[in-house]
């Protein structure tokens, strides 16, 4: 049996133990007095002991059925035992227990059909009533528990839209473990009899408890406060759940308490019907999908189409002689749902009043935003909308240079003055990390010293980065607000929508951090801490301010925006994205300009299928996002572990751990890797709470330089052409495997198989290689792993695009439009004319964005001075694709004359 430390997640542990129990009981029943019987008995006993600890948190098979199985073992009814275990394990795997009652004893089961769940048609599954579990928290004896369960069960009615089972746990700690472990739980009923501490000793479950914030300080609670405290803690770890508090305290007392996510307080312990109806209504409010439902209804109505959309209702297809295959491929519904109508129960994305408005409100609730806006043209558009809504020409923005190109174009459109921030480089792997907080503060303090702070409007960062480096969002916002109390933050969470639904991940999302910060800023402790720090830092120099963890003033404004490609990490059709807003001044200051910006970039024919998929994707995450994200992290962790511990794979590959991608100075916890072959899993909660940067474990960067292939060749020639494995990001010597909420254990297993096959082939090839071939291989590996060109920093904007020398902001818009006139541009060859020009003392200035793939972000922007380092990097880059660079012509640069004219103010500035 594997040890607990081998498991990242208790779910996997549970499922593997049930499978092991099924195998062991079957073997024992087959041969009860065989040679191995004694060992098998011990194994069964061990598995029962291990499962007993975790089964208390699940409704199926339930503690009573589990104990019954155990008694059968003790009484030697081995056939019955094997039968019941088989049925339970199978129902857990197929999910059959969600759809029907599963008797575990042979007499009742014989009468049952033995239909194979896997054979159920998708329609039959879709029509089944969704199932969930309700956790009741009360310290009861067996008799009381049965009475309670029966009472709840008696409330079921045939017309109920969902079906649920109950699981009873005794204490506050057990409830916290339970909601983190059992993803079937959708509602928690907290009754007055609950106790405080859990008796469970399983370390993996204790780890769960730590994730709930360790439930610190609960020892000091009075018994009457256990219930309200539990409601508050649930809000912290699984805010999407509903909690119901049953209490004996007075209405007045309860009214003054913070009850977290409690939906309703019940004063009558025995009002089971009310409770039942509330539980169903709570789940229904997450289940409902206003726009998707409206679209389904609309598609059923007979309509005459007299608007310009021949595909609507499939008319242009069904009458066609040549495109029938399209109709056959997609089926009729998608065309029935295609319409340009905004009435008849539908709505307009540009002016929503009906179901789109409601769907957006539900999304705001789900993602912790104050307002949410859907977009049907990806986060590229969302970014431009937010930038245009907030930046006025001349405003200063601080932005990470390796951000997505939509931001750079957004800055051009907005006429912003851009301060580019450099991320820390990972030269060894030819990729960037993220921008250290010290660098951000340094730039803000410089702008302050130059008297320009009032023009600084926004900080824009990518979280998480493509490679999975995650910021400490709340800390960044707080320290920046300490310098500039009304700074606006745009967090590009294109890759991070899923993070909301994992408790560890959630704390580093913009919306959660903004809500937390708002709460903190209101507290008297914050005001005190700020005053104290102000006193201490009265005459502090910059070095001290950079070293100090700054406290934001209590009157700072929390103004955070997040853009998410829902389609990248959650269920949505391609291009489905969301903008989440948590800005205290949105209504007062931004709403109008936001509307204009939204109109500027949004199509007047937005695709309804995308909007409907965003609505359904929101339903999914509110009901099962927690489970899916947990499974995703688990799949990624098992992939990391499998590669890190496989002797053959270690020879050619390396999974980059936090220690490889985040320098030690940004990892205060000192944690190097989330998995260690000797110690098992680290509890990542602690580093996620503390460290300046952490690594999103679901993005697995594999160093492949050891194979002699560069990242791009490995991606296209090996993974794609030979094995049909698709990935989209590489660096010179790495490839990135992204897991998602659809990644299964089998897909991970396939990838490992492929890597092992590649490693085996390499082994064989090197075995047969001549000395020369071997030498050539070693040279290739060295070139990929050791001789790497250092990544260049942002050089600077040319003086023609700067207002003065004191700070680094540049007018990218003027530079961008200056290049529209070919007469202002020249082409210089990388190795010839540029070098000569630079030797002669000329400042060579790029007229275009130069974006090599990989790494996929601009190494030059319009108006930027070309440096020796940038040239060296470009020459060393052996990638085929460099956007903005024409190998036949050379680098597009500004003529000296154009720049001179600009400096002399001969050319009007495009920004004005
Ligand atoms: C950080 C970042 N932001 C924005 C985008 C654009 O998102 P979309 O493809 O949804 O337009 C991407 C796309 O890769 C990205 O990586």
């Amino acid at each position: 049996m594997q040890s607990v430390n081998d498991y990242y997640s208790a779910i996997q542990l549970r499922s593997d133990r049930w499978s092991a129990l099924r195998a062991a009981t079957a073997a024992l029943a087959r041969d009860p007095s065989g040679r191995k019987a004694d060992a098998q008995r011990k194994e069964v006993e061990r598995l029962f002991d291990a499962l007993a600890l975790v089964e208390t948190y699940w409704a199926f098979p339930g503690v009573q059925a589990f104990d019954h199985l155990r008694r059968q073992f003790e009484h030697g009814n081995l056939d019955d035992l094997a039968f019941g275990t088989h049925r339970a394990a199978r129902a857990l795997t197929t999910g059959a227990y969600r759809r029907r009652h599963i008797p575990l004893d042979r007499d009742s089961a014989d009468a049952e059909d033995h239909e194979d769940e896997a054979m159920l048609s998708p329609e039959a599954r879709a029509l089944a009533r969704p199932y969930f579990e309700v956790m009741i928290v009360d310290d009861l004896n067996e008799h009381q528990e049965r009475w309670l369960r029966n009472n709840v069960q008696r409330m079921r009615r045939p017309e109920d839209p969902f079906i649920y089972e109950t699981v009873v746990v005794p204490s506050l700690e057990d409830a916290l473990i339970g909601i983190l472990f059992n993803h079937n739980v959708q509602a928690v009923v907290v009754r007055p009899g609950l106790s405080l501490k859990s008796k469970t000793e399983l370390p993996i479950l204790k780890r769960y408890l730590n994730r709930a914030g360790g439930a610190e300080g609960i020892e000091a609670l009075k018994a009457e406060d256990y219930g309200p405290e539990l409601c508050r803690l649930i809000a912290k770890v699984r805010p999407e759940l509903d909690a119901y508090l049953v209490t004996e305290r007075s209405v007045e007392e309860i009214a003054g308490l913070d009850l977290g996510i409690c939906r309703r307080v019940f004063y009558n312990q025995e009002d089971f019907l009310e409770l039942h109806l509330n539980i169903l209504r709570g789940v229904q409010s997450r289940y409902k999908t206003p726009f998707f439902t409206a679209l389904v209804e609309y598609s059923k109505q007979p309509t005459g189409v007299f608007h310009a959309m021949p595909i609507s209702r499939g008319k242009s297809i069904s009458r066609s002689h040549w495109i029938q295959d399209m109709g056959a491929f997609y089926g009729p519904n998608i065309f029935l749902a295609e319409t340009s109508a905004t009435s008849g129960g539908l709505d307009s994305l540009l002016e929503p009043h009906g179901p789109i408005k409601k769907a957006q409100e539900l999304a705001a609730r789900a993602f912790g935003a104050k307002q949410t806006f859907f977009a049907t043209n990806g986060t590229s558009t969302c970014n431009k909308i937010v930038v245009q809504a907030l930046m006025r020409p001349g405003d200063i923005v601080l932005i990470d240079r390796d951000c997505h190109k939509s931001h750079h174009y957004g800055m051009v459109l907005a006429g912003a003055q851009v301060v580019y921030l450099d991320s820390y480089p990972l030269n060894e792997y030819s990729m960037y990390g993220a921008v250290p907080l010290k660098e951000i503060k340094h730039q803000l303090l410089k702008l302050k010293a130059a008297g320009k702070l009032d023009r600084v409007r926004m900080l824009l960062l990518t979280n998480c980065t493509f490679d999975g480096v995650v910021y400490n969002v709340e800390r960044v916002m707080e320290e920046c607000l300490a310098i500039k109390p009304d700074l606006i933050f745009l967090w590009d969470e294109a890759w991070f929508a899923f993070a909301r639904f994992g408790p560890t991940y959630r704390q580093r999302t913009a919306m959660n951090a903004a809500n937390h910060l708002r709460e903190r800023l209101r507290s008297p402790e914050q005001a005190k801490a700020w005053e104290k720090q102000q006193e201490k830092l009265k005459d502090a120099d910059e070095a001290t301010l950079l070293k100090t963890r700054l406290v934001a003033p209590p009157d700072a404004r929390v103004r955070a925006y997040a853009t998410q490609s829902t389609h990248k990490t959650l269920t949505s059709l391609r291009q489905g994205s969301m903008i989440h807003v948590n800005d205290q001044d949105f209504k007062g200051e931004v709403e109008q300009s936001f509307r204009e910006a939204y109109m500027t970039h949004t199509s007047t024919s937005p695709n309804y299928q995308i909007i409907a998929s965003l609505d359904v994707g929101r339903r999914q995450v509110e009901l099962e996002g927690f489970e899916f994200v947990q499974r995703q992290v688990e799949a990624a962790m098992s992939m990391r572990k499998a590669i890190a511990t496989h002797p053959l794979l270690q020879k050619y590959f390396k999974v980059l751990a936090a220690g490889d991608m985040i320098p030690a100075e940004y990892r205060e916890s000192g944690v190097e890797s989330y998995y260690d072959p000797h110690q098992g899993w680290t509890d990542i909660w602690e580093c996620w709470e503390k460290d300046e940067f952490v690594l999103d474990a679901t993005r697995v960067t594999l160093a492949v330089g050891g194979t002699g292939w560069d990242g791009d060749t490995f991606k296209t020639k090996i993974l794609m052409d030979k094995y049909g494995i698709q990935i989209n990001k590489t660096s010179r010597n790495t490839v990135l495997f992204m897991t998602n909420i659809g990644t299964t254990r089998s897909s991970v297993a396939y990838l490992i198989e492929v890597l092992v096959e590649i490693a085996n082939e390499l082994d064989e090839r090197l075995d047969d290689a001549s000395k020369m071939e071997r030498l050539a291989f070693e040279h290739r590996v060295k070139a990929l792993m050791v001789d790497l060109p250092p990544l260049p920093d942002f050089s600077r904007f040319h003086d023609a695009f700067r207002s003065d020398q004191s700070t680094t902001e540049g007018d990218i818009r003027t530079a961008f439009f200056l290049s529209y006139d070919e007469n202002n541009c020249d082409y210089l060859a990388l190795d010839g004319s540029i070098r000569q020009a630079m030797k002669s003392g000329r400042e060579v200035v790029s007229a275009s964005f130069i974006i090599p793939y990989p790494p996929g972000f601009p190494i030059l922007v319009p108006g930027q001075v070309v440096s020796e380092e940038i040239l060296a990097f470009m020459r060393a880059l052996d990638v085929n694709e460099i956007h903005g660079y024409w190998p036949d012509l050379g680098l597009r640069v500004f003529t000296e004359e154009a720049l001179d004219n600009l400096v002399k103010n001969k050319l009007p500035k495009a920004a004005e």
Side-chain angles (χ1 to χ4, degrees):
M1 188 159 67
Q2 287 191 292
S3 97
V4 165
N5 267 351
D6 290 323
Y7 285 92
Y8 175 72
S9 129
I11 310 264
Q12 204 53 62
L13 175 131
R14 180 182 186 226
S15 136
D16 284 1
R17 289 203 168 153
W18 270 106
S19 304
L21 187 64
R22 167 158 70 170
T25 51
L28 199 56
R30 263 196 313 274
D31 195 2
S33 45
R35 206 162 36 87
K36 292 188 185 156
D38 270 355
Q40 262 149 0
R41 276 204 174 80
K42 283 212 174 68
E43 169 78 347
V44 169
E45 214 168 288
R46 236 188 350 243
L47 287 164
F48 265 122
D49 282 347
L51 277 170
L53 294 171
V54 296
E55 287 311 310
T56 50
Y57 299 103
W58 296 83
F60 179 82
V63 175
Q64 272 124 15
F66 181 76
D67 287 347
H68 181 64
L69 283 177
R70 194 168 192 159
R71 276 196 300 277
Q72 282 176 328
F73 172 59
E74 282 157 8
H75 296 159
N77 302 334
L78 296 182
D79 287 336
D80 290 340
L81 167 68
F83 181 86
T85 312
H86 174 83
R87 288 216 101 199
R90 191 166 158 68
L92 284 170
T93 312
T94 60
Y97 70 95
R98 308 176 75 97
R99 288 175 281 278
R100 57 195 165 88
H101 174 64
I102 311 281
L104 300 185
D105 53 310
R106 279 199 281 190
D107 299 340
S108 336
D110 281 344
E112 284 280 313
D113 59 273
H114 284 260
E115 99 194 82
D116 193 336
E117 285 289 321
M119 303 297 280
L120 274 187
S121 69
E123 290 77 16
R125 270 173 199 266
L127 290 177
R129 279 191 294 178
Y131 164 95
F132 63 90
E133 291 173 20
V134 173
M135 180 163 281
I136 301 180
V137 197
D138 203 351
D139 203 347
L140 304 172
N141 63 30
E142 213 181 306
H143 170 73
Q144 291 165 320
E145 189 176 321
R146 197 166 322 124
W147 173 83
L148 184 64
R149 267 182 212 285
N150 288 343
N151 272 308
V152 176
Q153 219 157 49
R154 268 208 338 247
M155 296 303 126
R156 282 186 187 167
R157 301 157 317 153
E159 66 269 34
D160 289 343
F162 313 110
I163 185 141
Y164 66 85
E165 294 288 345
T166 51
V167 50
V168 181
V169 297
S171 70
L172 179 148
E173 283 193 351
D174 282 307
L176 286 177
I177 294 173
I179 56 166
L180 282 166
F181 177 29
N182 179 353
H183 45 70
N184 285 342
V185 172
Q186 297 292 354
V188 186
V189 181
V190 185
R191 291 172 52 92
L194 83 163
S195 57
L196 184 63
K197 302 296 266 181
S198 166
K199 296 195 181 80
T200 302
E201 284 302 333
L202 195 59
I204 200 164
L205 293 181
K206 288 282 173 190
R207 224 156 62 197
Y208 277 57
L209 199 55
N210 284 345
R211 260 180 250 174
E216 284 155 14
I218 54 170
E219 269 82 4
L221 285 176
K222 285 189 280 188
E224 59 181 23
D225 287 331
Y226 295 165
E229 180 64 13
L230 177 56
C231 292
R232 281 192 292 273
L233 286 166
I234 296 171
K236 208 167 121 191
V237 289
R238 287 199 59 191
E240 70 278 12
L241 295 186
D242 300 314
Y244 301 93
L245 183 68
V246 183
T247 183
E248 287 156 351
R249 294 168 76 178
S250 73
V251 180
E252 298 76 35
E253 252 184 291
I254 288 292
L257 292 175
D258 166 13
L259 293 179
I261 52 158
C262 181
R263 275 179 79 91
R264 255 202 74 177
V265 177
F266 289 95
Y267 294 95
N268 177 358
Q269 287 207 39
E270 262 95 75
D271 199 346
F272 292 109
L273 184 61
E274 260 315 284
L275 183 63
H276 172 76
L277 294 176
N278 270 279
I279 287 171
L280 291 180
R281 195 167 55 195
V283 173
Q284 179 68 40
S285 90
R286 280 177 272 156
Y287 186 81
K288 73 177 171 200
T289 40
F291 187 72
F292 171 63
T293 308
L295 197 60
V296 171
E297 286 308 311
Y298 182 89
S299 69
K300 290 183 201 157
Q301 292 167 21
T303 50
V305 179
F306 288 99
H307 53 74
M309 208 179 168
I311 206 169
S312 184
R313 311 197 81 77
K315 287 285 192 284
S316 66
I317 300 168
S318 55
R319 293 155 55 99
S320 163
H321 305 296
W322 293 93
I323 60 168
Q324 288 284 339
D325 52 342
M326 184 187 186
F329 180 69
Y330 287 109
N333 281 345
I334 192 161
F335 305 112
L336 289 172
E338 274 292 299
T339 173
S340 62
T342 54
S343 52
L346 296 177
D347 200 358
S348 157
L349 181 64
L350 290 157
E351 197 72 55
H353 292 292
I356 294 185
K357 182 162 183 276
K358 284 207 196 99
Q360 292 187 146
E361 283 165 5
L362 293 180
R365 175 186 73 189
F367 287 89
K370 300 295 174 197
Q371 289 89 9
T372 288
F373 300 89
F374 291 167
T376 58
N377 193 19
T379 299
S380 306
T381 289
C382 297
N383 288 337
K384 282 178 239 164
I385 292 173
V386 178
V387 166
Q388 185 185 321
L390 295 162
M391 299 297 298
R392 297 154 301 200
D395 279 348
I396 297 175
V397 60
L398 281 70
I399 168 171
D400 62 312
R401 185 172 48 104
D402 45 322
C403 65
H404 188 254
K405 57 186 171 193
S406 52
H407 297 291
H408 302 278
Y409 287 112
M411 296 307 154
V412 168
L413 296 178
Q417 294 281 326
V418 183
V419 174
Y420 278 117
L421 303 167
D422 282 314
S423 297
Y424 65 81
L426 291 166
N427 288 325
E428 267 175 272
Y429 303 108
S430 233
M431 61 171 85
Y432 282 98
V435 186
L437 181 52
K438 241 188 198 163
E439 163 69 6
I440 303 169
K441 284 163 68 182
H442 167 64
Q443 293 294 346
L444 280 174
L445 291 169
K446 241 168 72 176
L447 286 156
K448 184 176 180 183
K452 295 181 184 174
L453 210 50
D454 59 326
R455 283 173 49 208
V456 177
R457 180 87 168 150
M458 183 196 273
L459 172 67
L460 197 167
L461 295 170
T462 311
N463 193 49
C464 65
T465 68
F466 212 122
D467 302 293
V469 179
V470 184
Y471 285 87
N472 188 334
V473 177
E474 190 171 334
R475 178 168 172 194
V476 170
M477 294 207 285
E478 165 149 39
E479 291 214 41
C480 290
L481 288 178
I483 301 172
K484 163 91 179 152
D486 59 352
L487 189 64
I488 301 172
F489 301 88
L490 168 53
W491 294 96
D492 182 335
E493 293 184 351
W495 295 102
F496 219 41
F498 75 100
R500 169 87 190 160
F501 302 93
T504 310
Y505 280 69
R506 185 183 310 117
Q507 48 185 332
R508 293 204 174 213
T509 60
M511 292 303 111
N512 202 64
N515 283 325
H516 201 234
L517 197 53
R518 280 171 86 147
E519 202 180 304
R520 230 158 28 83
L521 288 178
R522 280 197 297 267
S523 71
E525 294 82 27
Q526 180 80 11
K528 262 192 236 134
W530 179 73
E531 274 161 29
K532 201 166 143 205
Q533 187 172 72
Q534 285 304 101
E535 191 64 33
K536 206 165 150 208
L537 294 177
K538 218 184 312 167
D539 302 308
D541 56 9
E542 185 180 316
T544 313
L545 293 175
L546 290 183
K547 267 200 311 244
T548 309
R549 183 163 188 156
L550 301 177
V551 177
D555 61 350
R557 308 296 290 167
V558 175
R559 313 192 62 182
Y561 293 75
T563 51
Q564 295 178 343
S565 297
T566 318
H567 67 100
K568 288 197 204 299
T569 65
L570 300 174
T571 297
S572 158
L573 292 179
R574 199 155 162 78
Q575 297 190 356
S577 283
M578 296 189 197
I579 302 171
H580 301 300
V581 181
N582 201 328
D583 176 357
Q584 286 180 290
D585 294 325
F586 183 78
K587 292 226 169 91
E589 185 194 306
V590 183
E591 201 162 19
Q592 192 54 33
S593 59
F594 190 93
R595 252 176 78 90
E596 298 297 341
Y598 194 80
M599 297 287 173
T600 309
H601 296 282
T602 302
S603 163
T604 43
S605 313
N607 185 294
Y608 279 169
Q609 317 317 322
I610 298 178
I611 300 173
S613 75
L614 285 171
D615 198 16
V616 177
R618 188 274 313 148
R619 176 211 286 174
Q620 178 178 39
V621 286
E622 276 200 306
L623 288 161
E624 56 186 3
F626 174 75
E627 173 185 356
F628 275 63
V629 171
Q630 206 174 20
R631 288 193 190 282
Q632 176 188 355
V633 175
E634 183 184 291
M637 289 295 198
S638 69
M639 182 165 149
R640 286 173 173 272
K641 184 183 149 197
I643 302 173
T645 50
H646 196 294
L648 182 61
L649 295 184
Q650 279 169 293
K651 228 165 129 182
Y652 299 103
F653 304 107
K654 180 181 179 203
V655 174
L656 301 193
D660 300 303
M661 296 186 62
I662 302 165
E665 59 185 302
Y666 309 123
R667 272 183 293 108
E668 289 81 344
S669 67
V671 171
E672 299 248 338
S673 168
Y674 302 151
Y675 177 77
D676 174 317
H678 307 297
Q679 288 169 18
W681 298 105
T682 306
D683 190 349
I684 65 170
W685 179 273
E686 195 193 330
C687 28
W688 275 68
E689 215 175 12
K690 277 196 203 144
D691 290 0
E692 176 162 356
F693 297 115
V694 288
L695 190 63
D696 169 8
T698 68
R699 305 167 81 81
V700 182
T701 301
L702 188 69
V704 297
T707 63
W709 289 302
D710 64 83
D712 200 43
T713 310
F714 192 80
K715 165 187 159 178
T716 44
K717 298 266 165 24
I718 311 296
L719 289 178
M720 187 62 220
D721 293 354
K722 267 184 96 172
Y723 297 101
I725 292 178
Q726 283 181 29
I727 56 165
N728 63 2
K729 160 95 200 308
T730 60
S731 78
R732 193 165 151 75
N733 53 18
T734 67
V735 293
L736 173 67
F737 295 103
M738 285 187 265
T739 56
N740 61 48
I741 59 166
T743 306
T744 58
R745 273 177 118 188
S746 340
S747 46
V748 170
Y750 175 60
L751 178 65
I752 305 292
E753 245 172 66
V754 165
L755 292 177
V756 171
E757 200 173 314
I758 294 170
N760 268 326
E761 272 179 29
L762 275 168
D763 251 9
E764 271 172 36
R765 198 152 6 121
L766 285 174
D767 235 18
D768 296 341
S770 68
K771 197 173 163 202
M772 299 256 286
E773 283 170 330
R774 202 176 271 275
L775 219 56
F777 177 79
E778 280 161 15
H779 277 169
R780 276 204 309 277
V781 171
K782 182 166 172 288
L784 288 168
M785 301 297 275
V786 186
D787 305 332
L788 288 161
L791 292 160
D793 278 346
F794 181 77
S795 49
R796 63 187 168 81
F797 280 108
H798 185 266
D799 289 351
F801 308 104
R802 295 170 70 182
S803 53
D804 62 59
Q805 308 294 313
S806 61
T807 47
T808 60
E809 74 278 9
D811 175 4
I812 194 170
R813 178 186 169 99
T814 299
F816 183 84
F817 285 110
L818 187 68
S819 75
Y820 271 32
D821 185 347
E822 266 300 321
N823 292 326
N824 292 328
C825 302
D826 207 355
Y827 293 86
L828 298 182
L830 260 196
D831 266 323
S833 35
I834 287 198
R835 187 165 274 171
Q836 274 166 16
M838 283 168 67
K839 258 200 188 131
S840 72
R842 170 176 166 191
E843 280 191 312
V844 176
V845 181
S846 178
S848 313
F849 285 107
I850 305 292
I851 309 178
Y853 280 82
F857 60 84
I859 53 169
L860 281 169
V861 303
Q864 183 183 344
V865 173
V866 180
S867 67
E868 281 296 348
E869 293 76 30
I870 293 171
L871 277 188
F873 184 73
M874 277 189 83
R875 275 190 221 110
L877 268 181
D878 48 5
V879 297
N880 306 327
E881 213 180 317
I882 304 185
H883 292 186
Y885 174 69
W886 290 270
D888 301 344
L889 288 171
L891 198 67
R892 191 159 180 253
V893 301
F894 287 122
T895 62
E896 285 185 284
E897 199 188 357
L899 296 169
D900 283 348
N901 283 343
L902 201 61
V903 172
K904 286 183 218 143
N905 240 348
K906 279 188 186 151
L907 279 176
K909 283 200 178 182
E912 264 108 45

